[in-house]
Amino acid sequence: MLYWFRDYLSNRQQYVTFADISSDYGKTTCDVPQGSVLGPLLFLLYDNDIQNCSLEPCVKLFADDTNVFVHGKSLQEAAAKANKSLPVLSNWFLANKVSLSVDKTSYCISEKGDDKKHDVTYSYVIRILKG
């Protein structure tokens, strides 16, 4: 089985087509084949350990979409946790040769209040798309 996967993933080439013009083939050194039946599964297996790179945020994965949930009792606490986690996540991307699409990355701040206690919990949801 190991040899089959090695052969499946080795010596792959890719090209780009834009406006009816195609580039030459180029050898890829690390990739997961897109458009294949196994591609999404292999990417999830490859990407799955991102959850272990930081203990603080809750990381949820779906295909190439990564959501990081950070909570705090104040907006400053949630922001501090998010800012502390982002360099750790960035290092994971670099170590695993996964590019981060900064243009597609966004965040959302929400607050959840408890009517009885008037406590507010702030949450950052950082949506990261790997390009």
Side-chain angles (χ1 to χ4, degrees):
M1 187 60 90
L2 178 62
Y3 294 124
W4 183 87
F5 272 110
R6 185 194 64 197
D7 289 344
Y8 180 72
L9 296 173
S10 297
N11 300 318
R12 300 193 69 83
Q13 295 183 344
Q14 68 180 13
Y15 69 96
V16 176
T17 301
F18 180 75
D20 296 329
I21 300 172
S22 297
S23 69
D24 293 332
Y25 281 91
K27 185 177 179 181
T28 60
T29 56
C30 62
D31 70 337
V32 174
Q34 292 184 347
S36 68
V37 174
L38 282 177
L41 174 63
L42 291 174
F43 185 78
L44 286 174
L45 290 172
Y46 180 76
D47 200 28
N48 197 42
D49 73 332
I50 192 172
Q51 299 177 36
N52 299 328
C53 74
S54 178
L55 298 174
E56 182 58 41
C58 176
V59 179
K60 299 293 182 188
L61 303 171
F62 180 76
D64 67 344
D65 191 2
T66 302
N67 289 289
V68 179
F69 297 89
V70 181
H71 306 283
K73 293 191 185 253
S74 69
L75 183 58
Q76 291 77 18
E77 180 185 344
K81 288 179 180 180
N83 287 330
K84 187 177 179 182
S85 298
L86 288 174
V88 175
L89 291 167
S90 178
N91 287 338
W92 183 92
F93 288 127
L94 290 172
N96 287 280
K97 299 181 180 180
V98 176
S99 62
L100 176 65
S101 180
V102 177
D103 293 338
K104 297 178 184 177
T105 300
S106 61
Y107 71 93
C108 170
I109 303 171
S110 62
E111 59 183 24
K112 177 183 171 189
D114 186 343
D115 293 332
K116 296 176 185 173
K117 297 180 183 177
H118 301 291
D119 290 339
V120 177
T121 301
Y122 291 90
S123 299
Y124 265 108
V125 179
I126 304 165
R127 184 168 184 241
I128 302 171
L129 295 173
K130 294 167 285 292

